[in-house]
Amino acid sequence: MPPKVCFSFQRSGTCRFGDSCKFAHTAGADLQKSTIQLPASTREPSGSRSNVNNSIDSVPFSLETLQTQLAGKLTSGALISSHSDALVSFWPGRDRLEVLWKGFLMPQDPDNIWRVNSQTQALNFINAGLHALTKDNLAPQFVRELGKNEGRGVLVIQELLDLTYSNDAGRRRDIVSFQRGLVPFVTMLTMRRMEMVSQHMDEANYVYAYLRTAHVQLFRLYLDHLELIVERYSIEDSVVTHASFLRETKGRKYAPLCFTQVCLPFIRLLYLLGNKFKDFIYEDAYQDTVN
């Protein structure tokens, strides 16, 4: 049985309780369609918590269900608040995503620090970071580690900006996918929980302050590849389509399924930076990007 719908959010697109609201922030019809229904044979009896994770792992990945979930988010008013995390969907299940980002930001061995120096490593960090930001128990720690003054967060960000990106990166290691690499990285920087973790706002602001210094590089990188997508009327990677990529990873990694998922995070980032640094909106690079 699907959870009850928050009528305040359904009417206005906002709710004063935010993420702590006990009702679902989506339209009723879309909620019914997008709820993942477990087969009867895999459902757990009430009170049997020990087998819940096993039943989640046993749910086969369905691209169609993931697309339905995204469509539900796009039509339910979830985007009214302009938070790009409304577009991020991960298939339920357990894997190393929950802890993988720690190898980059919290290395146990100072002589064995994980570097973002290949497509594999870039996707590992980005997808693990997105996954952490969707979890209330992990988001505060991730934001804190990413924005530590003496930490590795800004070094990792600069490593990501220095990589070579392609719209058709496929599985190559020397070139990173724009759609599955840079786009979710920007999404990660505009996630709602990154703003909401009030006890770590200093760390979050440190990240945004660093982005302000590196904005020309980021803007140029994003716009160049976005222009190619617009010119060819397709967000697809011609080597490995996003649908194939999602099926191969069983929905545990990010891949855009529509143009909104590609451009909205960047628009959101411009809005965030413009709000945090008022003088920023008068800079040529900012105005040229908006225009």
Side-chain angles (χ1 to χ4, degrees), residues 221-275:
L221 196 58
Y222 208 100
L223 290 174
D224 285 347
H225 290 283
L226 190 60
E227 185 177 358
L228 291 174
I229 284 177
V230 173
E231 285 179 355
R232 68 186 191 182
Y233 300 101
S234 174
I235 64 170
E236 287 294 341
D237 184 315
S238 64
V239 180
V240 178
T241 66
H242 300 316
S244 298
F245 179 78
L246 286 169
R247 288 193 178 98
E248 290 173 3
T249 59
K250 297 182 179 180
R252 305 287 177 81
K253 292 190 177 181
Y254 181 97
L257 292 173
C258 64
F259 183 72
T260 303
Q261 283 189 296
V262 175
C263 64
L264 183 62
F266 189 55
I267 295 172
R268 177 63 177 159
L269 181 62
L270 291 173
Y271 173 79
L272 279 172
L273 292 176
N275 270 358

Side-chain angles (χ1 to χ4, degrees), residues 6-10 12-25 81:
C6 173
F7 292 108
S8 175
F9 189 88
Q10 193 176 31
S12 63
T14 60
C15 169
R16 64 191 181 94
F17 295 105
D19 280 357
S20 62
C21 181
K22 63 180 180 179
F23 300 112
H25 284 183
S81 60

Side-chain angles (χ1 to χ4, degrees), residues 181-192:
L182 189 63
V183 170
F185 167 61
V186 175
T187 302
M188 184 172 70
L189 295 172
T190 63
M191 290 282 282
R192 175 171 50 188

Side-chain angles (χ1 to χ4, degrees), residues 92-151:
R94 296 174 301 162
D95 53 20
R96 295 185 63 209
L97 277 180
E98 290 203 2
V99 297
L100 205 55
W101 58 270
K102 294 182 180 180
F104 297 91
L105 299 181
M106 305 167 60
Q108 298 297 314
D109 182 0
D111 296 324
N112 185 28
I113 298 174
W114 292 6
R115 302 290 302 277
V116 182
N117 53 11
S118 69
Q119 171 155 232
T120 300
Q121 291 296 77
L123 297 186
N124 281 340
F125 173 74
I126 292 166
N127 286 288
L130 282 173
H131 184 86
L133 286 168
T134 62
K135 304 292 183 181
D136 291 333
N137 62 320
L138 293 176
Q141 184 183 19
F142 178 78
V143 174
R144 183 176 67 246
E145 295 299 329
L146 186 67
K148 271 187 177 178
N149 281 326
E150 303 299 327

Side-chain angles (χ1 to χ4, degrees), residues 116-120 122-123 126 160 163-170 172-182 225 237:
V116 182
N117 53 11
S118 69
Q119 171 155 232
T120 300
L123 297 186
I126 292 166
L160 284 165
L163 291 171
T164 302
Y165 291 88
S166 170
N167 290 36
D168 302 302
R172 293 176 59 179
R173 287 181 57 84
D174 58 323
I175 293 179
V176 182
S177 170
F178 166 71
Q179 302 94 314
R180 299 189 288 256
L182 189 63
H225 290 283
D237 184 315

